Amino acid sequence: MTIQADPLEKLRTRTSEKWRAYPDDVLPLFVAEMDYPLAEPIAAALRSAIDRSDTGYIGPDDRVQRAFARYAADTWDWPVEPHRVSTTTDVSVVIVESLRLAIRPGDRVIITPPVYPPFFGMIPEAGGVVEEVPLLVGDDGWSLDLAGIERAFAAGARALLLCNPHNPLGLVHSRSDLTALADLAARFDAVVVSDEVHAPLTHSDAEFVPFLDVSDAAREHGIAAHAASKAWNLAGLKCAQFVTASDRMTDLLSALPFEVEVRTSHFGRIATEAAYTAGGPWLAEVLADVEMNRRLLATLLTEYLPGVRYREPRASYLAWLDFRALGWGDDPSIPALDRGRVALIPGPAFGAPGAGFARLNFACSPSILTEAALRLAALDPLR
Protein backbone atom coordinates (compact mmCIF):
# COMPACT_ATOMS: atom_id res chain seq x y z
CA MET A 1 0.00 0.00 0.00
CA THR A 2 1.39 3.40 -0.96
CA ILE A 3 1.69 6.23 1.51
CA GLN A 4 -1.40 8.44 1.64
CA ALA A 5 -2.14 11.72 3.34
CA ASP A 6 -3.71 11.48 6.78
CA PRO A 7 -7.48 12.01 7.02
CA LEU A 8 -8.80 15.39 8.09
CA GLU A 9 -9.95 14.27 11.54
CA LYS A 10 -6.43 13.04 12.36
CA LEU A 11 -4.77 16.11 10.88
CA ARG A 12 -6.81 18.38 13.15
CA THR A 13 -5.09 16.79 16.16
CA ARG A 14 -1.79 18.33 15.02
CA THR A 15 -0.70 21.54 16.74
CA SER A 16 1.61 23.03 14.10
CA GLU A 17 0.87 26.31 12.27
CA LYS A 18 -1.09 24.68 9.47
CA TRP A 19 -3.64 23.28 11.91
CA ARG A 20 -3.81 26.11 14.46
CA ALA A 21 -3.77 29.30 12.40
CA TYR A 22 -7.44 29.08 11.33
CA PRO A 23 -10.74 27.76 12.72
CA ASP A 24 -11.75 24.18 11.97
CA ASP A 25 -14.16 25.21 9.19
CA VAL A 26 -11.19 26.41 7.08
CA LEU A 27 -9.28 24.09 4.75
CA PRO A 28 -5.64 25.11 5.36
CA LEU A 29 -3.81 24.95 2.03
CA PHE A 30 -1.40 27.78 2.75
CA VAL A 31 1.85 27.07 4.66
CA ALA A 32 4.28 24.49 3.25
CA GLU A 33 3.53 21.60 5.59
CA MET A 34 2.53 18.21 4.19
CA ASP A 35 -0.35 16.06 5.40
CA TYR A 36 1.52 12.75 5.17
CA PRO A 37 2.50 10.68 8.22
CA LEU A 38 6.09 11.03 9.33
CA ALA A 39 8.53 8.66 7.60
CA GLU A 40 8.98 5.61 9.82
CA PRO A 41 12.82 5.63 9.76
CA ILE A 42 12.71 9.21 11.08
CA ALA A 43 10.09 8.39 13.69
CA ALA A 44 12.12 5.36 14.80
CA ALA A 45 15.29 7.43 15.14
CA LEU A 46 13.50 10.01 17.27
CA ARG A 47 11.83 7.34 19.41
CA SER A 48 15.21 5.72 19.98
CA ALA A 49 16.66 9.04 21.10
CA ILE A 50 13.80 9.51 23.55
CA ASP A 51 14.16 5.95 24.85
CA ARG A 52 17.80 6.59 25.70
CA SER A 53 17.02 10.10 27.07
CA ASP A 54 19.27 11.58 24.40
CA THR A 55 17.90 15.11 24.65
CA GLY A 56 20.96 17.22 25.41
CA TYR A 57 23.05 19.70 23.46
CA ILE A 58 24.54 18.83 20.10
CA GLY A 59 28.08 17.52 20.30
CA PRO A 60 30.93 17.05 17.82
CA ASP A 61 29.47 14.82 15.13
CA ASP A 62 29.67 14.82 11.32
CA ARG A 63 27.03 12.19 10.57
CA VAL A 64 24.63 14.72 9.00
CA GLN A 65 27.43 16.04 6.81
CA ARG A 66 28.34 12.56 5.61
CA ALA A 67 24.70 11.56 5.16
CA PHE A 68 24.01 14.64 3.06
CA ALA A 69 27.10 14.01 0.92
CA ARG A 70 25.96 10.44 0.24
CA TYR A 71 22.43 11.59 -0.53
CA ALA A 72 23.66 14.29 -2.94
CA ALA A 73 25.87 11.80 -4.76
CA ASP A 74 23.16 9.15 -5.01
CA THR A 75 20.31 11.51 -5.91
CA TRP A 76 21.91 14.20 -8.08
CA ASP A 77 25.32 12.72 -8.93
CA TRP A 78 26.76 15.71 -7.09
CA PRO A 79 30.09 15.12 -5.31
CA VAL A 80 29.93 16.97 -1.98
CA GLU A 81 32.86 16.99 0.42
CA PRO A 82 31.51 16.49 3.96
CA HIS A 83 33.98 18.95 5.48
CA ARG A 84 32.38 21.68 3.35
CA VAL A 85 28.98 21.08 4.98
CA SER A 86 27.94 22.62 8.30
CA THR A 87 24.63 22.87 10.12
CA THR A 88 22.42 25.50 11.68
CA THR A 89 18.76 25.86 12.61
CA ASP A 90 17.06 26.47 9.26
CA VAL A 91 17.51 27.60 5.68
CA SER A 92 16.62 31.20 6.57
CA VAL A 93 19.63 31.31 8.88
CA VAL A 94 21.86 29.81 6.18
CA ILE A 95 20.75 32.59 3.84
CA VAL A 96 21.02 35.49 6.28
CA GLU A 97 24.37 34.46 7.74
CA SER A 98 25.86 33.74 4.30
CA LEU A 99 24.78 37.13 3.01
CA ARG A 100 26.01 38.85 6.16
CA LEU A 101 29.51 37.59 5.33
CA ALA A 102 29.28 38.10 1.55
CA ILE A 103 28.11 41.72 1.44
CA ARG A 104 28.73 45.01 3.18
CA PRO A 105 25.93 47.03 4.81
CA GLY A 106 23.91 48.79 2.13
CA ASP A 107 24.95 46.48 -0.72
CA ARG A 108 22.19 45.46 -3.10
CA VAL A 109 21.12 41.83 -3.35
CA ILE A 110 19.08 40.57 -6.29
CA ILE A 111 15.93 38.48 -5.92
CA THR A 112 13.72 37.19 -8.72
CA PRO A 113 10.01 37.64 -7.93
CA PRO A 114 7.49 36.18 -7.70
CA VAL A 115 9.51 34.51 -4.97
CA TYR A 116 9.30 33.13 -1.43
CA PRO A 117 8.06 36.08 0.66
CA PRO A 118 10.67 35.91 3.49
CA PHE A 119 13.39 36.68 0.94
CA PHE A 120 12.24 40.31 1.06
CA GLY A 121 13.04 40.47 4.78
CA MET A 122 16.13 38.27 4.92
CA ILE A 123 18.19 40.68 2.82
CA PRO A 124 17.66 43.71 5.11
CA GLU A 125 18.29 41.43 8.10
CA ALA A 126 21.70 40.66 6.59
CA GLY A 127 22.37 44.37 6.04
CA GLY A 128 21.55 44.49 2.33
CA VAL A 129 19.05 46.25 0.10
CA VAL A 130 16.60 44.31 -2.06
CA GLU A 131 16.97 44.64 -5.84
CA GLU A 132 14.16 42.97 -7.77
CA VAL A 133 14.77 41.41 -11.18
CA PRO A 134 11.49 39.58 -11.90
CA LEU A 135 11.45 36.29 -13.72
CA LEU A 136 10.56 36.31 -17.39
CA VAL A 137 7.35 34.53 -18.37
CA GLY A 138 6.43 33.29 -21.81
CA ASP A 139 4.58 30.53 -23.58
CA ASP A 140 7.16 28.00 -22.40
CA GLY A 141 6.99 29.09 -18.75
CA TRP A 142 9.25 31.10 -16.49
CA SER A 143 12.98 31.70 -16.62
CA LEU A 144 15.67 33.88 -15.09
CA ASP A 145 16.04 37.31 -16.67
CA LEU A 146 19.76 36.93 -17.24
CA ALA A 147 20.03 40.24 -19.09
CA GLY A 148 18.30 42.01 -16.20
CA ILE A 149 20.57 40.27 -13.69
CA GLU A 150 23.61 41.34 -15.71
CA ARG A 151 22.42 44.96 -15.62
CA ALA A 152 21.89 44.77 -11.86
CA PHE A 153 25.36 43.33 -11.28
CA ALA A 154 26.88 45.92 -13.60
CA ALA A 155 25.13 48.66 -11.60
CA GLY A 156 26.70 47.39 -8.37
CA ALA A 157 24.58 44.57 -6.92
CA ARG A 158 26.91 42.34 -4.92
CA ALA A 159 24.91 39.14 -4.54
CA LEU A 160 21.90 37.19 -5.79
CA LEU A 161 19.55 35.10 -3.68
CA LEU A 162 18.44 32.24 -5.91
CA CYS A 163 15.44 29.99 -5.32
CA ASN A 164 16.27 26.63 -6.93
CA PRO A 165 13.74 25.01 -7.39
CA HIS A 166 11.76 28.20 -7.42
CA ASN A 167 9.01 28.77 -4.87
CA PRO A 168 6.07 29.39 -5.64
CA LEU A 169 6.34 28.23 -9.25
CA GLY A 170 7.85 24.78 -8.91
CA LEU A 171 10.32 25.93 -11.57
CA VAL A 172 13.45 23.76 -11.84
CA HIS A 173 16.11 26.03 -13.31
CA SER A 174 17.96 24.67 -16.33
CA ARG A 175 21.65 23.86 -16.28
CA SER A 176 22.26 26.41 -19.03
CA ASP A 177 20.60 29.22 -17.05
CA LEU A 178 22.48 28.30 -13.89
CA THR A 179 25.77 28.16 -15.78
CA ALA A 180 25.09 31.57 -17.29
CA LEU A 181 24.25 32.94 -13.84
CA ALA A 182 27.49 31.57 -12.43
CA ASP A 183 29.43 33.19 -15.26
CA LEU A 184 27.81 36.53 -14.43
CA ALA A 185 28.66 36.16 -10.75
CA ALA A 186 32.28 35.44 -11.65
CA ARG A 187 32.45 38.33 -14.08
CA PHE A 188 31.23 40.83 -11.48
CA ASP A 189 32.80 39.08 -8.46
CA ALA A 190 29.39 38.60 -6.86
CA VAL A 191 28.06 35.82 -4.65
CA VAL A 192 25.07 33.56 -5.34
CA VAL A 193 23.28 32.05 -2.35
CA SER A 194 21.13 29.23 -3.68
CA ASP A 195 18.14 28.14 -1.58
CA GLU A 196 17.73 24.49 -2.59
CA VAL A 197 15.41 23.29 0.17
CA HIS A 198 12.83 22.02 -2.34
CA ALA A 199 15.42 20.04 -4.35
CA PRO A 200 14.53 16.57 -2.98
CA LEU A 201 10.93 17.27 -4.06
CA THR A 202 11.79 17.46 -7.77
CA HIS A 203 9.26 15.48 -9.76
CA SER A 204 9.91 12.48 -11.98
CA ASP A 205 9.58 14.55 -15.17
CA ALA A 206 12.29 17.05 -14.22
CA GLU A 207 15.95 17.04 -13.20
CA PHE A 208 17.26 19.15 -10.35
CA VAL A 209 20.65 20.74 -11.01
CA PRO A 210 22.61 21.84 -7.91
CA PHE A 211 23.97 25.32 -8.49
CA LEU A 212 27.39 24.44 -7.10
CA ASP A 213 27.73 21.57 -9.57
CA VAL A 214 27.38 23.54 -12.82
CA SER A 215 30.88 25.03 -13.13
CA ASP A 216 34.03 26.19 -11.42
CA ALA A 217 32.56 29.71 -11.46
CA ALA A 218 29.57 28.49 -9.44
CA ARG A 219 31.83 26.74 -6.96
CA GLU A 220 34.00 29.85 -6.51
CA HIS A 221 31.04 32.21 -6.09
CA GLY A 222 28.25 30.10 -4.63
CA ILE A 223 26.86 28.90 -1.32
CA ALA A 224 23.95 26.44 -1.20
CA ALA A 225 21.31 26.12 1.49
CA HIS A 226 19.87 22.64 2.01
CA ALA A 227 17.63 20.93 4.56
CA ALA A 228 15.45 17.86 4.90
CA SER A 229 12.71 20.08 6.30
CA LYS A 230 10.45 20.48 3.25
CA ALA A 231 10.85 17.03 1.73
CA TRP A 232 10.35 15.08 4.97
CA ASN A 233 8.14 17.59 6.80
CA LEU A 234 10.68 18.37 9.53
CA ALA A 235 10.46 22.17 9.76
CA GLY A 236 9.83 22.12 13.49
CA LEU A 237 12.99 20.13 14.19
CA LYS A 238 15.40 22.87 13.09
CA CYS A 239 18.36 21.55 11.14
CA ALA A 240 19.69 22.95 7.86
CA GLN A 241 22.98 22.82 5.98
CA PHE A 242 25.43 25.35 4.60
CA VAL A 243 27.15 23.76 1.58
CA THR A 244 30.19 25.08 -0.24
CA ALA A 245 32.39 23.64 -2.97
CA SER A 246 35.57 25.74 -2.99
CA ASP A 247 38.23 26.90 -0.57
CA ARG A 248 37.15 30.48 -1.23
CA MET A 249 33.57 29.99 -0.05
CA THR A 250 34.52 27.57 2.71
CA ASP A 251 36.97 30.15 4.06
CA LEU A 252 34.27 32.83 3.89
CA LEU A 253 31.94 30.75 6.06
CA SER A 254 34.75 29.97 8.51
CA ALA A 255 34.04 33.41 9.99
CA LEU A 256 30.59 32.32 11.14
CA PRO A 257 30.09 32.67 14.89
CA PHE A 258 30.34 29.39 16.78
CA GLU A 259 26.74 29.79 17.97
CA VAL A 260 25.35 29.59 14.42
CA GLU A 261 26.15 25.88 14.35
CA VAL A 262 25.57 24.93 17.98
CA ARG A 263 22.00 26.25 17.82
CA THR A 264 21.19 23.32 15.54
CA SER A 265 18.54 21.15 17.17
CA HIS A 266 19.85 17.82 18.45
CA PHE A 267 16.57 16.14 17.42
CA GLY A 268 16.77 17.93 14.08
CA ARG A 269 20.18 16.46 13.45
CA ILE A 270 18.99 12.97 14.36
CA ALA A 271 15.94 13.28 12.09
CA THR A 272 17.96 14.77 9.23
CA GLU A 273 20.51 11.96 9.24
CA ALA A 274 17.66 9.43 9.17
CA ALA A 275 15.95 11.27 6.31
CA TYR A 276 19.04 11.38 4.10
CA THR A 277 20.11 7.85 4.99
CA ALA A 278 16.84 5.89 5.07
CA GLY A 279 14.05 8.25 4.00
CA GLY A 280 14.33 7.72 0.26
CA PRO A 281 11.64 5.05 -0.18
CA TRP A 282 9.12 7.09 1.83
CA LEU A 283 9.88 10.21 -0.20
CA ALA A 284 9.51 8.34 -3.50
CA GLU A 285 6.01 7.25 -2.50
CA VAL A 286 5.08 10.72 -1.32
CA LEU A 287 6.32 12.25 -4.57
CA ALA A 288 4.23 9.80 -6.58
CA ASP A 289 1.17 10.91 -4.60
CA VAL A 290 2.11 14.58 -4.99
CA GLU A 291 2.41 14.17 -8.74
CA MET A 292 -1.04 12.58 -8.87
CA ASN A 293 -2.40 15.57 -6.95
CA ARG A 294 -0.61 17.91 -9.32
CA ARG A 295 -2.56 16.36 -12.18
CA LEU A 296 -5.78 16.15 -10.16
CA LEU A 297 -5.60 19.87 -9.49
CA ALA A 298 -5.35 20.55 -13.23
CA THR A 299 -8.45 18.40 -13.80
CA LEU A 300 -10.39 20.09 -10.99
CA LEU A 301 -9.58 23.56 -12.27
CA THR A 302 -10.55 22.65 -15.82
CA GLU A 303 -13.88 21.28 -14.63
CA TYR A 304 -14.84 23.71 -11.88
CA LEU A 305 -12.70 26.85 -12.28
CA PRO A 306 -11.75 27.13 -15.95
CA GLY A 307 -10.96 30.82 -15.49
CA VAL A 308 -8.05 30.03 -13.18
CA ARG A 309 -4.78 29.52 -15.03
CA TYR A 310 -2.33 26.99 -13.65
CA ARG A 311 0.97 25.75 -14.98
CA GLU A 312 1.81 22.40 -13.41
CA PRO A 313 4.98 22.63 -11.27
CA ARG A 314 7.92 20.31 -11.72
CA ALA A 315 9.04 20.40 -8.11
CA SER A 316 7.49 20.63 -4.66
CA TYR A 317 3.77 20.57 -3.83
CA LEU A 318 2.90 24.21 -4.36
CA ALA A 319 0.61 25.55 -7.09
CA TRP A 320 0.78 29.13 -8.36
CA LEU A 321 -2.78 29.98 -9.35
CA ASP A 322 -3.70 32.92 -11.59
CA PHE A 323 -7.16 34.21 -10.58
CA ARG A 324 -6.99 37.45 -12.59
CA ALA A 325 -9.69 36.42 -15.06
CA LEU A 326 -12.15 35.96 -12.19
CA GLY A 327 -11.91 39.55 -11.03
CA TRP A 328 -11.16 38.65 -7.39
CA GLY A 329 -8.78 41.59 -7.01
CA ASP A 330 -5.06 41.81 -6.36
CA ASP A 331 -5.31 39.38 -3.46
CA PRO A 332 -7.65 36.50 -4.34
CA SER A 333 -6.74 34.75 -1.09
CA ILE A 334 -9.06 37.20 0.69
CA PRO A 335 -12.35 36.03 -0.88
CA ALA A 336 -11.02 32.45 -0.87
CA LEU A 337 -10.73 32.62 2.91
CA ASP A 338 -13.58 34.97 3.83
CA ARG A 339 -16.27 33.39 1.66
CA GLY A 340 -14.84 30.02 0.60
CA ARG A 341 -13.12 29.09 3.88
CA VAL A 342 -10.00 27.99 2.02
CA ALA A 343 -6.69 29.42 3.28
CA LEU A 344 -4.15 30.24 0.56
CA ILE A 345 -0.98 32.36 0.57
CA PRO A 346 -1.58 35.84 -0.92
CA GLY A 347 0.09 36.30 -4.30
CA PRO A 348 1.19 39.90 -3.60
CA ALA A 349 3.36 38.59 -0.74
CA PHE A 350 5.64 37.13 -3.44
CA GLY A 351 6.24 40.56 -4.97
CA ALA A 352 4.50 42.80 -7.49
CA PRO A 353 4.17 40.04 -10.13
CA GLY A 354 1.96 38.18 -7.65
CA ALA A 355 -0.99 40.55 -7.92
CA GLY A 356 -4.06 38.49 -8.82
CA PHE A 357 -2.39 35.21 -7.84
CA ALA A 358 -2.41 32.91 -4.81
CA ARG A 359 -0.34 29.91 -3.77
CA LEU A 360 -2.01 26.60 -2.91
CA ASN A 361 -0.45 23.62 -1.11
CA PHE A 362 -1.62 20.33 -2.67
CA ALA A 363 0.30 17.94 -0.39
CA CYS A 364 -3.00 16.72 0.99
CA SER A 365 -5.61 14.05 0.33
CA PRO A 366 -7.51 14.11 -2.98
CA SER A 367 -10.72 14.61 -1.00
CA ILE A 368 -9.43 17.79 0.66
CA LEU A 369 -8.13 19.09 -2.66
CA THR A 370 -11.46 18.38 -4.35
CA GLU A 371 -13.42 20.04 -1.53
CA ALA A 372 -11.20 23.12 -1.80
CA ALA A 373 -11.81 23.36 -5.55
CA LEU A 374 -15.57 23.05 -5.05
CA ARG A 375 -15.58 25.76 -2.37
CA LEU A 376 -13.63 28.13 -4.61
CA ALA A 377 -15.79 27.32 -7.60
CA ALA A 378 -18.89 28.31 -5.63
CA LEU A 379 -17.48 31.86 -5.44
CA ASP A 380 -17.04 32.22 -9.21
CA PRO A 381 -19.93 34.26 -10.65
CA LEU A 382 -19.09 33.01 -14.14
CA ARG A 383 -20.17 29.47 -13.30
Side-chain angles (χ1 to χ4, degrees), residues 122-135:
M122 292 176 197
I123 290 167
E125 184 181 350
V129 175
V130 172
E131 171 123 358
E132 298 183 35
V133 180
L135 294 175

Side-chain angles (χ1 to χ4, degrees), residues 184-200:
L184 288 173
R187 181 172 148 202
F188 292 100
D189 195 25
V191 170
V192 175
V193 178
S194 185
D195 175 356
E196 300 183 350
V197 70
H198 291 271

Side-chain angles (χ1 to χ4, degrees), residues 4-20 24 26-29 33-38 233 363-369:
Q4 296 179 330
D6 282 335
L8 190 57
E9 59 271 17
K10 184 174 182 180
L11 292 166
R12 292 207 183 278
T13 67
R14 297 185 183 182
T15 59
S16 61
E17 180 183 4
K18 185 173 184 179
W19 299 101
R20 286 294 179 267
D24 282 354
V26 172
L27 293 178
L29 303 183
E33 294 182 24
M34 297 193 290
D35 292 355
Y36 301 97
L38 187 64
N233 221 40
C364 58
S365 68
S367 61
I368 289 177
L369 191 58

